[in-house]
Amino acid sequence: MTGDILFLCHRIPFPPDRGDKIRSYHLLKRLAQIAPVHVGCFGDDDRDMGYAADLAQVAASQCLLRRDRSKVVAGLTGLAKRQSLLVSLFDHPGLHQWVAQTLAQRPVRAVVAYSAQMAHFVPPLAPNVRFLMDFVDFDSAKYAAYGAEGSGPMAWINRREGRVLLDFERTVAARADACSFVSEAEAALFRAACGRGQYRIVAIENGVALDYFDPTAAFPTVDHGAGPLLVFTGQMDYRPNVEAVESFARQTLPAIQTIHPQARFAIVGRNPIRAVEALADLPGVIVTGGVPDVRGWLAAADIVVAPLRIARGIQNKVLEAMAMARPVVASPQAAEGIDAADGTEFLVAANPAEEAAKVIALLADPARAARLGVAARKRMEARYRWSATLAGLPDLLFGRDAGSQAA
């Protein structure tokens, strides 16, 4: 295989400390083992922009732009153009120009677009250039679900976004050589929605950095304190995470505290919105905000919980907790797509009452909780190494010859 790769992602893949960046970071590292990679991406803030030098260590060339379009402007523009608001939010003439220049000046033989909002930066390509669209999640289905469960203006906006984004996703799928999703469940939903052949819509699962998320590794410890400690990790300005912790703090935790009055619930994650910060006023609820190293909180947890009601794809937070050998109680939505056994490698609970019952049962049986954690770690080692989940990427991009040539 000869030729370069153009990789477009909606956030700079550094640091890999949130779900979308974790996947894009490992994709970029794997792509760089296959061929020189030219990376076009956005930074959300000064912190993101400060990682340009880290990106330069991996990329053959790069275009890192500050995303400065407001939601209001994106919304009005999207409505005027009958365009997805998500796509409108991630638009920038500078990136369109850089992509055109890169395709004209570099020997690019494959383009990888990460997440639906980056697809509109991919122009018509030469016949010898392959296009892999990594949708990651079936985003339009998420917005449709928001619209179905809500009311008022936001519900209308979400229903519109679900429809318009689905049309866009179908259009992109029609021109891509292959489309990938984070799980087979997501891929199957998209196949059903767009009616395209199975050979073009595949799953590239997330993995977990097992050497980093290792209970025997060296990392700063967190004082466990008195009473059971339950932990949730995630970006805390992301709606599904916000709804999950609100439900657990207000409904599940009080039921647990009837048996374990000292039980505490730690919400660990960056950018907690006001609604999340307000949960700290409830008995036993801790809101940490961003932490330098989430492993200390995971290691300190008696149980890690993932009570998401709307979730797409594979949840990194669940993989990381399992890799840290912690017992996990997850909703069916958070567990979907993870190849692990309910009852032996993690526990699945469908509602606050089930969550409380299963957490209380685990706290009463520390030996079983420990067995769950050990089995979880073994499952991650057997199934979810990034080197295994991304093993088929060269073949998907360039055919079978590339797989043997790649490092």
Side-chain angles (χ1 to χ4, degrees):
M1 184 277 298
T2 59
D4 295 2
I5 299 170
L6 174 61
F7 182 48
L8 304 173
C9 51
H10 63 298
R11 288 188 177 92
I12 183 172
F14 293 89
D17 60 356
R18 53 177 289 169
D20 53 356
K21 289 189 175 190
I22 290 168
R23 181 176 174 90
S24 62
Y25 170 85
H26 287 283
L27 273 174
L28 173 58
K29 297 279 280 188
R30 184 68 184 99
L31 292 172
Q33 293 175 334
I34 301 169
V37 185
H38 309 278
V39 182
C41 58
F42 292 105
D44 286 338
D45 49 33
D46 291 340
R47 178 176 180 265
D48 276 358
M49 301 303 290
Y51 283 94
D54 297 81
L55 180 59
Q57 294 295 313
V58 182
S61 71
Q62 66 188 65
C63 178
L64 172 60
L65 297 171
R66 180 70 174 262
R67 187 169 64 85
D68 53 7
R69 175 172 283 196
S70 72
K71 290 184 178 180
V72 173
V73 171
L76 293 174
T77 303
L79 289 170
K81 293 183 175 181
R82 297 183 179 180
Q83 184 182 50
S84 158
L85 305 186
L86 184 65
V87 172
S88 179
L89 186 62
F90 287 84
D91 199 5
H92 197 296
L95 189 55
H96 284 287
Q97 181 179 6
W98 179 82
V99 168
Q101 291 175 345
T102 301
L103 290 171
Q105 298 172 3
R106 307 280 187 168
V108 173
R109 292 295 175 264
V111 176
V112 181
Y114 177 86
S115 202
Q117 56 265 50
M118 299 307 291
H120 70 297
F121 291 107
V122 182
L125 299 171
N128 65 334
V129 179
R130 287 182 58 84
F131 174 24
L132 170 62
M133 181 65 236
D134 186 24
F135 283 111
V136 189
D137 298 329
F138 189 4
D139 283 332
S140 62
K142 175 179 66 178
Y143 286 102
Y146 289 156
E149 70 175 14
S151 61
M154 278 307 302
W156 180 86
I157 290 172
N158 283 323
R159 288 194 296 271
R160 176 199 178 274
E161 182 70 0
R163 294 192 304 271
V164 176
L165 186 55
L166 176 59
D167 287 342
F168 179 72
E169 289 166 337
R170 286 169 169 162
T171 300
V172 173
R175 59 185 292 250
D177 292 287
C179 303
S180 57
F181 288 83
V182 73
S183 69
E184 177 54 34
E186 292 288 283
L189 285 174
F190 191 71
R191 288 187 201 108
C194 74
R196 302 205 63 82
Q198 183 173 343
Y199 65 95
R200 297 185 64 183
I201 301 171
V202 301
I204 299 179
E205 295 179 324
N206 277 359
V208 62
L210 287 166
D211 292 339
Y212 183 80
F213 288 99
D214 183 341
T216 66
F219 49 82
T221 59
V222 170
D223 182 15
H224 179 282
L229 178 62
L230 315 173
V231 171
F232 176 95
T233 63
Q235 185 79 10
M236 292 319 305
D237 56 1
Y238 179 52
R239 176 176 170 177
N241 288 344
V242 172
E243 293 178 349
V245 298
E246 286 187 315
S247 170
F248 196 89
R250 297 187 186 280
Q251 300 179 63
T252 308
L253 183 61
I256 295 168
Q257 289 171 330
T258 62
I259 306 298
H260 298 277
Q262 290 186 295
R264 291 154 301 133
F265 175 43
I267 301 168
V268 182
R270 187 182 301 109
N271 297 337
I273 65 172
R274 289 183 180 179
V276 174
E277 291 177 335
L279 297 175
D281 294 332
L282 300 175
V285 177
I286 303 163
V287 179
T288 69
V291 297
D293 194 330
V294 73
R295 292 175 297 176
W297 283 97
L298 292 174
D302 291 287
I303 300 170
V304 175
V305 297
L308 288 89
R309 305 303 174 213
I310 293 180
R312 310 303 318 176
I314 293 179
Q315 296 297 310
N316 291 297
K317 59 173 61 67
V318 176
L319 300 184
E320 291 166 0
M322 294 176 73
M324 289 293 291
R326 306 320 301 147
V328 174
V329 176
S331 67
Q333 295 89 337
E336 185 179 35
I338 297 178
D339 185 11
D342 178 17
T344 57
E345 292 157 341
F346 61 2
L347 299 182
V348 178
N351 53 56
E354 284 190 15
E355 289 162 3
K358 293 193 176 185
V359 167
I360 289 169
L362 274 184
L363 292 176
D365 191 350
R368 185 188 179 208
R371 289 196 299 272
L372 275 174
V374 170
R377 172 71 189 185
K378 288 182 178 178
R379 188 58 181 159
M380 294 301 100
E381 291 174 341
R383 182 70 174 74
Y384 284 102
R385 294 182 184 276
W386 279 108
S387 58
T389 61
L390 297 180
L393 192 57
D395 288 353
L396 192 60
L397 285 177
F398 295 113
R400 298 196 177 280
D401 290 343
S404 62
Q405 295 173 27

